[in-house]
Amino acid sequence: MNKIFVIFFLVLEVFFAKPIAINTIPIKKGYLQQQENFVGNVIFKEVANIASQSNGAVEKVYFRLGQHVKKGEKLLSLNDEFLQKDIIIKQAKLDQARYILEKKKKDLERYKNLLETQSIPLQQYENIEYEVKSQEASILALQTELDISILDLGHKEIYAPFDGVIVDQKVHHGEWISSGEVICQILNTKDVEVVADVPSFMTNHLVLGQAVNATINNKTYKGKIVAIIPKADVNSRNFPVYISINGDNMLLDGMPATIKLNVDRKNSGFLIPRDSIVQRNGKAVVFIVKDKKAILVEVDVLSVNRNQALVQGNMQENQKIVLRGQDKLEDGSEVREIP
């Protein structure tokens, strides 16, 4: 008896069910640029080996492996105690040489007056003149040596040349390093490219600067083509295409990336809103309206862009396709169109 009541109420529920509210739009025939997907890899364009420009013992390391650093951030400092004392000595020698030059110039002026009165021979005057010029040359050499030491002092601290991530550490506290020795390796995470191999027929449809979207780890990045290499891979016979993208800290070197490239030919079919397509049992379907009922139609998606999709399926031009509300529909559901 209870089963009879349940069936009765289910029949009443179906019979008196309210039509589902939907929005529709007419189906049109047309063309859409075909797109092809190509798989590539994320690469970081700039990987820099940061080297020391000075000799010395490592006094302090300010970075760690895997750390994100900013441009101008201090990475390492070398002990500069010996260099500081060397600069003091060179500055003292330079000051001494300037005092000697000042004295010799005064002597030269006095000898000049004596020469005019023929109180001294010409050779004696020329000797003191030579000593002045020699002292001036010595001062120039001492000043240059001091400048080099001061410049070297500035190299005792090493800074990051750009924003990036430390991917390798070569030195540690207390170690002695020589000029030119690598202290670490920095990966520039902002300057990112995707490289994908494309067949030869596609290269005719690509130009430098062309906008390209790349999907990486379910996120879409905007980019542009920066290089088309005219040398094929010996195995695949495809040509590398480089796409520069605006990266972020979520990207890793070597990540797979999918890029969409326009193909020259256009396909014909039914142009429908991209949002009208839903997935049912792993298949792309749409709902068209006929006699106030929603009819499920399987479609083959030929191409898509931002707003539209080009499909083929059992439908006709000017039939109404469900634009909104299709998520609640089943094949044969009663519907009510609203503006």
Side-chain angles (χ1 to χ4, degrees):
M1 193 67 174
N2 290 336
K3 290 183 178 180
I4 295 175
F5 277 113
V6 172
I7 295 172
F8 176 73
F9 283 117
L10 289 174
V11 171
L12 287 178
E13 186 178 351
V14 172
F15 185 77
F16 289 105
K18 293 181 179 180
I20 300 172
I22 60 168
N23 297 114
T24 62
I25 191 171
I27 298 172
K28 297 180 180 180
K29 282 187 175 181
Y31 299 88
L32 195 65
Q33 184 82 48
Q34 182 178 343
Q35 292 183 323
E36 297 285 351
N37 290 337
F38 296 92
V39 177
N41 293 304
V42 173
I43 60 172
F44 291 103
K45 182 179 177 181
E46 190 172 16
V47 181
N49 289 318
I50 310 303
S52 173
Q53 298 184 53
S54 180
N55 303 322
V58 177
E59 189 167 84
K60 190 170 183 180
V61 178
Y62 297 91
F63 66 88
R64 65 181 184 278
L65 195 63
Q67 178 182 340
H68 288 267
V69 295
K70 297 290 185 180
K71 181 180 179 179
E73 186 174 340
K74 188 186 293 187
L75 299 176
L76 181 140
S77 61
L78 300 177
N79 185 286
D80 61 3
E81 183 178 356
F82 174 80
L83 186 57
Q84 291 277 15
K85 295 182 182 301
D86 182 62
I87 290 174
I88 293 173
I89 294 172
K90 288 179 178 178
Q91 182 66 61
K93 288 182 177 179
L94 180 62
D95 292 341
Q96 183 183 33
R98 285 172 177 164
Y99 295 146
I100 294 173
L101 176 63
E102 184 178 355
K103 180 180 182 302
K104 289 186 178 296
K105 283 185 175 180
K106 290 180 179 179
D107 290 344
L108 181 64
E109 187 65 25
R110 188 172 66 256
Y111 276 47
K112 182 179 180 182
N113 295 331
L114 293 173
L115 181 65
E116 290 176 352
T117 60
Q118 297 183 349
S119 300
I120 60 171
L122 177 61
Q123 185 177 2
Q124 192 173 356
Y125 173 81
E126 289 178 342
N127 288 340
I128 192 66
E129 185 179 38
Y130 170 79
E131 290 179 4
V132 168
K133 291 180 180 180
S134 177
Q135 190 65 21
E136 287 176 340
S138 296
I139 289 175
L140 179 61
L142 290 170
Q143 181 67 62
T144 302
E145 290 178 359
L146 178 62
D147 291 342
I148 291 174
S149 294
I150 293 174
L151 185 64
D152 190 28
L153 182 64
H155 293 154
K156 293 297 183 180
E157 293 184 338
I158 302 171
Y159 300 87
F162 48 76
D163 294 356
V165 177
I166 304 293
V167 295
D168 194 9
Q169 181 175 346
K170 301 290 188 181
V171 298
H172 299 84
H173 174 73
E175 292 182 354
W176 177 270
I177 62 174
S178 302
S179 177
E181 186 173 344
V182 174
I183 67 162
C184 68
Q185 189 177 72
I186 300 181
L187 193 66
N188 187 346
T189 56
K190 298 299 182 183
D191 196 359
V192 184
E193 291 181 342
V194 171
V195 58
D197 291 338
V198 302
S200 58
F201 79 90
M202 279 299 304
T203 58
N204 297 325
H205 314 311
L206 305 178
V207 294
L208 296 179
Q210 178 178 331
V212 177
N213 287 337
T215 302
I216 307 167
N217 204 19
N218 297 322
K219 183 178 179 179
T220 300
Y221 297 83
K222 295 185 180 297
K224 62 180 180 180
I225 295 176
V226 293
I228 304 170
I229 307 303
K231 180 177 175 60
D233 181 87
V234 293
N235 297 319
S236 66
R237 309 307 302 169
N238 291 333
F239 295 83
V241 175
Y242 288 79
I243 299 115
S244 176
I245 64 173
N246 296 321
D248 54 32
N249 292 334
M250 301 303 294
L251 297 179
L252 302 175
D253 190 49
M255 268 185 168
T258 301
I259 62 171
K260 291 182 178 293
L261 299 176
N262 290 332
V263 182
D264 192 38
R265 61 180 181 273
K266 294 181 178 180
N267 285 331
S268 61
F270 296 105
L271 277 174
I272 63 173
R274 184 174 179 175
D275 292 340
S276 65
I277 302 173
V278 293
Q279 295 290 324
R280 294 293 169 87
N281 298 323
K283 296 181 179 180
V285 303
V286 297
F287 288 93
I288 61 173
V289 177
K290 187 175 182 181
D291 298 330
K292 297 184 178 181
K293 289 188 177 182
I295 308 301
L296 184 147
V297 177
E298 292 185 11
V299 293
D300 293 324
V301 181
L302 303 179
S303 186
V304 294
N305 60 22
R306 185 173 183 180
N307 299 312
Q308 291 183 306
L310 186 72
V311 301
Q312 290 181 348
N314 187 18
M315 60 183 72
Q316 297 177 0
E317 190 174 17
N318 295 322
Q319 279 186 319
K320 292 183 177 180
I321 189 170
V322 179
L323 176 60
R324 293 183 181 86
Q326 66 269 42
D327 293 336
K328 301 177 182 179
L329 298 178
E330 298 292 340
D331 191 21
S333 298
E334 291 191 9
V335 295
R336 174 174 58 89
E337 295 185 53
I338 59 174

